[in-house]
Amino acid sequence: MTDEVYDRILTYLQQIQLNVLIPLLSGEPFTDPKYIARLRLAREKLPNSRLLVISNGSLLTEKIIDELQTISDLDLHVSLNAWTADTRYRVMLLDDFDKVLNVLNYAEGKVRVGCTLIAHPSIPIEEAEEFRKHGGAVVNYHNWAGEQYYYKRTRPTRCQRVDTLTFNYKGDAVLCCYDIFGKIKFGNVMTNSLEEILTNPERMKYITMHNEEKGQELPMCSRCSDPWI
């Protein structure tokens, strides 16, 4: 994402009452050398919004924790996805379980941290329960609106995600965080006003049909396995 697109998004978000901003969800944020600077800019422009950083933890360092500590109202969620080093390597091909735990121990008392485990079928239930027992959150495995595996939703669907704002790296306003390839677009921050994006007819159709519990009739939503909707 260019600085111009990012700045434009933040300027748009200043116009609404935004509770939470996740500045990069579908990817590892700390691969971006500008990420800390972008967090600081978000805090400056959106002083009343909580910042949520979601990372797999592989690039976390004590120095990064020290920098995150200086940014107010920030939460760090680490996708550990294992309670053992073997499972983390098998699931994520990351041989850094102990390293990540050491950094998380360093972060205690400095940054609000939560750890998550995706309940993938390959992870034993006993391990997921052990993870939960030690304070981690177990998140259901889903199919990214049909991109990961086939699913056909039949029951009535009402999802809150259609009423959120999700922008991809090009500045496209897309359906939701599960639309990772931007197949459904409601405009672009470089060519459309915030009002045009919010009132886009296609966006309003998705919101209306979900409010009427008919989301399962819509493209992508009909293939989404998210158990919370």
Side-chain angles (χ1 to χ4, degrees):
M1 181 180 287
T2 65
D3 292 340
E4 185 180 15
V5 168
Y6 183 68
D7 189 71
R8 182 90 167 188
I9 290 172
L10 293 181
T11 300
Y12 276 23
L13 298 180
Q14 286 179 306
Q15 303 174 49
I16 62 178
Q17 185 176 349
L18 184 71
N19 293 325
V20 180
L21 172 67
I22 306 176
L24 203 159
L25 174 60
S26 300
E28 173 50 46
F30 293 105
T31 58
D32 179 1
K34 297 181 178 180
Y35 189 65
I36 296 294
R38 287 178 165 175
L39 286 175
R40 295 191 191 283
L41 183 60
R43 172 49 63 236
E44 176 187 331
K45 291 204 168 194
L46 304 169
N48 299 317
S49 301
R50 182 164 63 95
L51 301 179
L52 176 55
V53 175
I54 299 179
S55 165
N56 65 27
S58 61
L59 300 179
L60 283 178
T61 63
E62 293 183 359
K63 180 181 177 182
I64 288 177
I65 295 299
D66 290 341
E67 291 179 319
L68 294 180
Q69 186 181 10
T70 67
I71 303 172
S72 63
D73 201 10
L74 179 145
D75 292 329
L76 172 64
H77 284 193
V78 176
S79 302
L80 200 57
N81 286 328
W83 186 241
T84 67
D86 289 344
T87 298
R88 181 165 165 93
Y89 182 77
R90 176 169 51 81
V91 172
M92 304 181 72
L93 294 180
L94 292 172
D95 190 16
D96 59 3
F97 185 77
D98 293 331
K99 168 185 169 292
V100 175
L101 284 189
N102 287 336
V103 175
L104 294 180
N105 286 333
Y106 177 80
E108 188 172 352
K110 298 180 176 66
V111 179
R112 291 195 302 262
V113 177
C115 291
T116 58
L117 176 148
I118 301 296
H120 189 271
S122 68
I123 298 178
I125 293 177
E126 295 78 12
E127 183 167 351
E129 286 302 317
E130 191 70 18
F131 187 87
R132 195 198 310 269
K133 188 188 304 181
H134 285 82
V138 177
V139 182
N140 285 283
Y141 177 65
H142 60 78
N143 71 346
W144 293 93
E147 301 294 347
Q148 191 74 1
Y149 60 84
Y150 176 79
Y151 180 84
K152 177 63 177 176
R153 182 174 291 279
T154 56
R155 65 176 177 83
T157 295
R158 181 173 185 170
C159 180
Q160 296 180 354
R161 286 185 177 85
V162 295
D163 205 16
T164 62
L165 280 172
T166 302
F167 298 100
N168 65 15
Y169 73 99
K170 294 181 287 188
D172 294 325
V174 300
L175 175 60
C176 70
C177 58
Y178 292 165
D179 183 10
I180 54 176
F181 297 117
K183 292 184 176 180
I184 298 175
K185 303 181 182 70
F186 305 132
N188 184 281
V189 295
M190 303 307 294
T191 55
N192 298 104
S193 68
L194 176 61
E195 183 66 20
E196 288 173 332
I197 291 173
L198 290 175
T199 61
N200 177 281
E202 187 72 0
R203 182 174 187 269
M204 297 310 298
K205 180 182 79 172
Y206 270 79
I207 291 174
T208 298
M209 289 192 67
H210 274 280
N211 285 340
E212 295 174 352
E213 298 189 353
K214 297 178 181 178
Q216 75 281 0
E217 300 175 16
L218 292 161
M220 292 199 74
C221 301
S222 64
R223 305 192 302 272
C224 183
S225 66
D226 185 356
W228 300 112
I229 60 176

